[in-house]
Amino acid sequence: MKKHRILAAISAPVALFSATLLASEKLYNFAFKRVDYVPETSADKQKYADAYWSYVDWLHRQPVENWELNPDDDQNHLVATYVPAKGASQKTVIISHGYKGDGETMANYAYMFHQMGYNVLLPDDRGHGQSAGKYISFGWQDRRDYLEWISRVLQTNGPRTQIVLFGVSMGGATVEMMSGEALPPQVQAIIADCGYTSIEEELAYLLKRQFHLPKYPFVPIVSFINRHRMGYFLSDVSSVEQLRKNTRPILFIHGEKDVYVPSWMLKKNYQAANGPKQMWQVPNATHAESFWIDPATYQKHVEAFLKQYLPQA
């Protein structure tokens, strides 16, 4: 009997540990593994579907160019769509898409900037769209890829071009993370719409909100898995730390009713940011809805910000 009690005492925690590891592996694959389709939008945004597809149709009608990085490297092959401005322009915007999206899903923002006279570059991030990658890096590896896209823009459009970095959701966090890099002087402004503070905080928040699971032990285990798969811990992936090194003018946009990336993350990012900064919290907007509620007002805010910092805007 004593032997059976000892075995039971040992097997129970072992079984719990094994179950936790299995659940963490499933969580990692769910959150980080690429999917080769764009998931359907949330129910509350279905009302914008017709408008969304009209922007996609507009994009398909444009005389676009297909750009590539590392075309002979299957592990690092990256793809982007370039939409030249209607006429000669010294202004280029690089638009960073959201989680499990791709460049095409940003067609509405591409249209807005195109109407403002910009060349537009729409990359597919690693693990998304036509670009390579087994896993999603949530902006961390992407920030370095975008430095290469910036170099490609300068190579194509010349050293006089003025570059704006723009992103929404994961893309907002991506351009926030780029803000801490050594950017060339041609990058003159950044606009981040509903970006998170860090992937560790975002994952812990969503675990609790959507799955009623605690941060511990799941987030540390997922972080360890990511260190093995991608080479870095989740604690490394921080918009806040990068924003502390920022020197560029930056506009933060965030929906007042965002429960996916909560508004306290907006305030934490804003407080951390160095350099000239502005914040616009959009009334009644949920996650990534700020544009859709009123595209004209959204464009006016963007134009007003850029006119302060881009001589030709």
Side-chain angles (χ1 to χ4, degrees):
M1 290 293 292
K2 186 176 181 181
K3 182 178 180 181
H4 289 304
R5 285 198 298 270
I6 293 172
L7 288 174
I10 294 173
S11 61
V14 169
L16 178 60
F17 180 69
S18 298
T20 302
L21 285 179
L22 181 61
S24 298
E25 177 69 25
K26 287 184 177 180
L27 174 62
Y28 183 82
N29 287 332
F30 172 78
F32 289 78
K33 199 170 185 179
R34 78 173 292 148
V35 292
D36 289 313
Y37 62 92
V38 175
E40 191 173 81
T41 190
S42 57
D44 66 309
K45 295 187 182 66
Q46 290 293 335
K47 58 181 176 286
Y48 304 120
D50 289 344
Y52 168 79
W53 287 113
S54 70
Y55 288 117
V56 172
D57 288 342
W58 168 84
L59 181 60
H60 289 170
R61 294 194 303 269
Q62 301 311 301
V64 302
E65 300 172 14
N66 295 315
W67 286 14
E68 295 179 277
L69 295 175
N70 315 310
D72 299 321
D73 184 349
D74 291 342
Q75 303 294 318
N76 296 290
H77 181 209
L78 302 174
V79 177
T81 299
Y82 179 74
V83 188
K86 296 175 185 177
S89 176
Q90 293 295 334
K91 301 179 296 184
T92 301
V93 61
I94 302 176
I95 298 179
S96 182
H97 64 75
Y99 178 62
K100 294 186 177 178
D102 57 24
E104 183 180 276
T105 62
M106 306 300 280
N108 55 313
Y109 303 103
Y111 176 84
M112 178 185 75
F113 278 101
H114 196 258
Q115 294 299 109
M116 291 162 58
Y118 281 74
N119 306 299
V120 179
L121 186 65
L122 299 166
D124 288 355
D125 290 355
R126 286 178 184 267
H128 296 80
Q130 298 181 61
S131 291
K134 292 182 179 180
Y135 299 103
I136 297 167
S137 81
F138 288 90
W140 196 237
Q141 287 188 336
D142 305 306
R143 82 194 197 284
R144 291 177 176 164
D145 296 331
Y146 276 67
L147 293 176
E148 294 191 54
W149 287 124
I150 289 171
S151 296
R152 177 68 184 273
V153 167
L154 294 175
Q155 178 185 351
T156 302
N157 294 342
R160 293 181 59 201
T161 193
Q162 298 174 295
I163 298 174
V164 174
L165 305 177
F166 175 92
V168 179
S169 191
M170 185 184 80
T174 299
V175 298
E176 288 167 352
M177 291 175 200
M178 289 182 69
S179 73
E181 299 301 307
L183 299 171
Q186 289 87 354
V187 177
Q188 301 201 341
I190 300 171
I191 302 174
D193 188 333
C194 60
Y196 41 77
T197 51
S198 72
I199 188 54
E200 189 173 51
E201 288 187 326
E202 178 67 10
L203 183 59
Y205 169 79
L206 292 177
L207 268 180
K208 183 177 180 180
R209 177 176 177 80
Q210 296 185 352
F211 302 106
H212 308 290
L213 293 173
K215 177 178 179 179
Y216 300 100
F218 297 103
V219 172
I221 295 174
V222 169
S223 181
F224 182 79
I225 293 171
N226 195 71
R227 176 66 177 82
H228 177 69
R229 304 269 171 85
M230 301 278 281
Y232 52 87
F233 293 108
L234 298 189
S235 57
D236 297 330
V237 186
S238 173
S239 299
V240 169
E241 293 304 317
Q242 291 289 96
L243 285 164
R244 289 192 174 115
K245 298 180 282 185
N246 176 57
T247 60
R248 299 303 194 277
I250 183 166
L251 170 63
F252 296 93
I253 302 173
H254 214 101
E256 185 181 56
K257 294 185 176 179
D258 193 335
V259 295
Y260 190 77
V261 176
S263 60
W264 63 261
M265 291 194 178
L266 162 68
K267 295 176 177 65
K268 190 171 180 178
N269 281 335
Y270 181 83
Q271 289 169 0
N274 277 317
K277 56 187 176 182
Q278 297 179 22
M279 178 172 62
W280 177 37
Q281 197 162 9
V282 181
N284 301 314
T286 60
H287 184 65
E289 193 184 21
S290 297
F291 171 91
W292 298 105
I293 283 182
D294 189 344
T297 298
Y298 191 98
Q299 180 171 331
K300 286 178 182 177
H301 272 82
V302 169
E303 285 181 316
F305 169 73
L306 292 176
K307 282 180 181 178
Q308 295 180 56
Y309 299 107
L310 272 69
Q312 299 177 25

